[in-house]
Each structure stands twice: as C-alpha cells, then as structure tokens.
Amino acid sequence: MTYASVKPLTLTLGHLYPDQLNLYGDRGNIMTLQRRCQARGIELRVVGLGIGDALAPDEYDMLFIGGGQDKEQAPVAQDLYELKGIGLWAAVEDDMPVLAVCGGFQLLAHYYRPAEGPDMRGLGVFDAWTIHKGARVARCIGDIALSWNGTTLVGFENHGGRTYLGTAKPLGKVLKGFGNNAEDHTEGAIYRNAYGTYLHGSLLPKNPHFADHLISLALKRKYKEDDDESTIAAFSATNNGQRLEQDTSEDVLAVTTLTKEEATSPSPLTLAPLDDTLEWEAHTYILERLGLHNAATAAIRTHIKQ
C-alpha cells in the first residue's frame, strides 16, 4: 500500500427536473450523496436541470432523476426526449453514473402507458416498458428488499405502473415486495452505469454501500487519467470534518494510489469507510420487518462492526 498527497476532489451532479419529479422523499438520495462526499473531503456540487435546460454531458459527473405523478411526467417526457435526450445518451454511453427512480426509471425505458391518455415516449436507455393497468389494479406500495451484488438493498416503493424488461438486466431479485411488476421478481434495470429502480428516497440513506458504489464510479470515471505518474488518488477519511492526510493506519486510510492498470479496470474504486452503524441498523430493521431474518443477520455480520 502506498500513500500520496491528496488533490481536492470535486464532482458535479445534474439533478433532472427537481421541481417536477420530487415526490416520496427522493431528495434524500441527493442529500445522502452530499453527506457521504463531504465526510471524505469531496466537494459534490448539485445543479438543477429543469424543463427547457439543455444537458451538456461534459459538465457533469453524475445524473439523478426522481419520480412524480403522471400529470407531471408528460411535459417532462417531451423535454427529456426532445431536448435532453442526446446529452443524456452521450453521458450513459460514456459510463457516467445515472440513478433514475420510479417515474425517471420509466422515462428512461422505451415508453410509459398511463391509465389514461397517450403513451409517453421514453429514451430507451433500458430495454423495458411500463403499463399502468388502471385504478382497479392495486398499486405496488410498501417496503421492499432485493438481492444485489452479493448483499441486499432495501427501500420503499409506490407505483401504479408495471415495468417489463426485454433484454435489460434487472438491478436485483425481489426478496419481499413487488418490484417491477409484482410478477417476475425483478426490480429495476441496469445499462452500463445507469441504474433504474422503484426504490424511492430511502434507497441511498438505508443502503450506504450502493451510495458509495455510485460515488466511486463517478470518481473513477473522472480521475481515471491522473497527471501524477499515471496514478489516481482515492479518498481521504475524515475526523469531525477534517481531512486525515497524515495518518496511514488501516482504520483511517488517507489515500490509496493505484497503478494505471488498476485505475482503468472496470471495477469501481474503494472509498474510505465511514461509520454507517445507524444506516445499517435501519437497513436490517427493514429486513427484519419483512421477515428476512437470515438476510438481516448476514447484513449485520458483513457491515456492522462488532
């Protein structure tokens, strides 16, 4: 393990349609990203992109789009397709991390067919489509847990639309809850570093490992070509908001330098750990409440220091 001085790390997150798609506490996802970056001395700048604003992909390192009601999605769908679509597609193909929740997830698929009115055309980032079967069919509401990357994700879902995947890879397999359509046990979709999901604003607060996954992907993408002898500096731990750049003990790792080969590998970089005891207690509480006791025990053993 080698250590080096840290250059200031900065990221810019584009928040699409913050005024239109703002239901169910989805701002909690952005607040979590900000807090976890700040705790490591990383500056995360959040820029709102509303209707009429162009999306220049080279100005951002991450993108987020939340959920809203059907009546709010129609003008968003038109703006997304006609104005922001080219920039968003370019960002996705360049492996920019994108998190799309509920309505945002639906609009990044091929189309959304509401209970009433014409179809809303999506961007087709995800090979998927969504159909709302009308008021007579119960909404998918409640806590949800799914398997992801050898562990679990938990959250809260509230959607009337049913999403069906074509060739898209799901984000995870539903352990308890409804997921994409309450039929095939899939939840969400993945394309490159774009993630669609029905898990709302409790997603990142209760899943710190997924939040860090997005942050590390963004940092790796931005800093993969470092000017200092082809190395890339990973991320400092903090103590009461102060950077620990001199301490090289294992529990307060300041900086890890990677070779150029490591820096350009497909796996995300490893962030310095934070004290996530409360987050994992909230995570395991949802698992216990859903009756997933073995998964809760596994989460405690893996993530909460004894």
Side-chain angles (χ1 to χ4, degrees):
M1 187 75 67
T2 59
Y3 299 89
S5 61
V6 178
K7 297 178 181 179
L9 300 177
T10 62
L11 293 172
T12 301
L13 183 150
H15 183 181
L16 277 66
Y17 311 108
D19 297 326
Q20 291 81 18
L21 303 183
N22 58 5
L23 295 182
Y24 311 126
D26 286 337
R27 288 182 185 272
N29 289 316
I30 291 179
M31 293 171 66
T32 296
L33 292 172
Q34 288 178 309
R35 186 190 69 81
R36 299 187 72 79
C37 283
Q38 183 181 27
R40 297 178 171 106
I42 303 166
E43 179 186 355
L44 178 64
R45 187 170 68 101
V46 179
V47 178
L49 291 166
I51 291 177
D53 295 331
L55 197 168
D58 57 349
E59 295 180 4
Y60 304 97
D61 305 300
M62 308 173 71
L63 295 174
F64 173 79
I65 178 171
Q69 297 179 353
D70 286 1
K71 64 180 181 181
E72 296 165 329
Q73 284 186 215
V76 166
Q78 181 177 358
D79 181 86
L80 184 64
Y81 186 81
E82 295 180 355
L83 183 60
K84 296 183 177 63
I86 294 177
L88 197 148
W89 257 113
V92 170
E93 292 294 343
D94 195 37
D95 288 329
M96 186 183 299
V98 178
L99 178 60
V101 175
C102 198
F105 171 29
Q106 294 167 352
L107 294 179
L108 263 61
H110 291 303
Y111 65 86
Y112 171 61
R113 180 166 297 161
E116 298 179 357
D119 290 359
M120 301 179 197
R121 188 172 184 176
L123 292 186
V125 170
F126 305 118
D127 183 15
W129 57 95
T130 303
I131 300 173
H132 195 303
K133 298 184 178 182
R136 294 185 178 181
V137 179
R139 294 178 65 83
C140 299
I141 302 177
D143 292 326
I144 180 173
L146 54 139
S147 60
W148 175 77
N149 201 27
T151 181
T152 48
L153 296 177
V154 302
F156 183 83
E157 59 181 332
N158 184 351
H159 55 101
R162 265 62 171 178
T163 296
Y164 299 91
L165 304 182
T167 60
K169 178 183 176 181
L171 174 64
K173 178 182 178 181
V174 175
L175 302 175
K176 281 291 181 70
F178 298 99
N180 284 336
N181 51 51
E183 300 169 24
D184 61 15
H185 303 289
T186 65
E187 206 295 313
I190 301 173
Y191 177 70
R192 302 183 77 94
N193 286 337
Y195 298 87
T197 181
Y198 278 113
L199 278 63
H200 277 285
S202 57
L203 170 60
L204 298 187
K206 293 180 181 176
N207 298 282
H209 54 319
F210 190 58
D212 283 354
H213 178 72
L214 297 174
I215 294 169
S216 63
L217 285 172
L219 286 165
K220 176 182 172 62
R221 176 179 173 274
K222 181 173 183 178
Y223 293 101
K224 63 183 177 181
E225 295 295 340
D226 191 273
D227 292 333
D228 185 11
E229 297 179 356
S230 299
T231 63
I232 180 169
F235 324 114
S236 65
T238 64
N239 181 16
N240 296 323
Q242 300 299 314
R243 299 178 67 134
L244 299 175
E245 298 185 356
Q246 303 301 320
D247 196 327
T248 58
S249 63
E250 290 296 323
D251 58 336
V252 287
L253 175 62
V255 186
T256 304
T257 57
L258 304 179
T259 67
K260 185 174 183 179
E261 181 178 359
E262 291 171 326
T264 55
S265 67
S267 61
L269 294 171
T270 301
L271 292 165
L274 302 177
D275 182 0
D276 292 326
T277 302
L278 292 177
E279 287 83 351
W280 281 107
E281 287 178 351
H283 182 105
T284 55
Y285 173 75
I286 297 298
L287 293 174
E288 290 281 4
R289 192 160 71 179
L290 291 172
L292 299 170
H293 306 295
N294 290 338
T297 300
I300 291 172
R301 289 176 176 173
T302 303
H303 299 289
I304 298 180
K305 295 180 179 180
Q306 301 298 316

